[in-house]
Amino acid sequence: MSDLAAARAAKARLAAALAGHPRVNGVGIARGDGGHVVKILLTEPADDLPSEQDGVPVVSEVVGPIHRRAF
């Protein structure tokens, strides 16, 4: 079970480690079974991602490219 503080710390470390990864759109926090998880948003599947960071589970989701919308 991961509390929010642990997930925030893990997210920061993982985001720094994944900076520049060609398939990563973003890194966030989500609710998971029994607590919080770090969630990685991807442009396409990647198999070189960790399953946990500092004891916090890591999940990923392919969302495709993210584009800025004009208003």
Side-chain angles (χ1 to χ4, degrees), residues 23-57:
R23 295 180 178 163
V24 174
N25 275 339
V27 181
I29 297 172
R31 290 282 217 159
D33 293 334
H36 292 85
V37 299
V38 177
K39 187 171 190 177
I40 303 170
L41 303 177
L42 301 167
T43 57
E44 57 189 60
D47 59 358
D48 59 343
L49 303 173
S51 60
E52 73 171 16
Q53 175 71 42
D54 301 331
V56 177

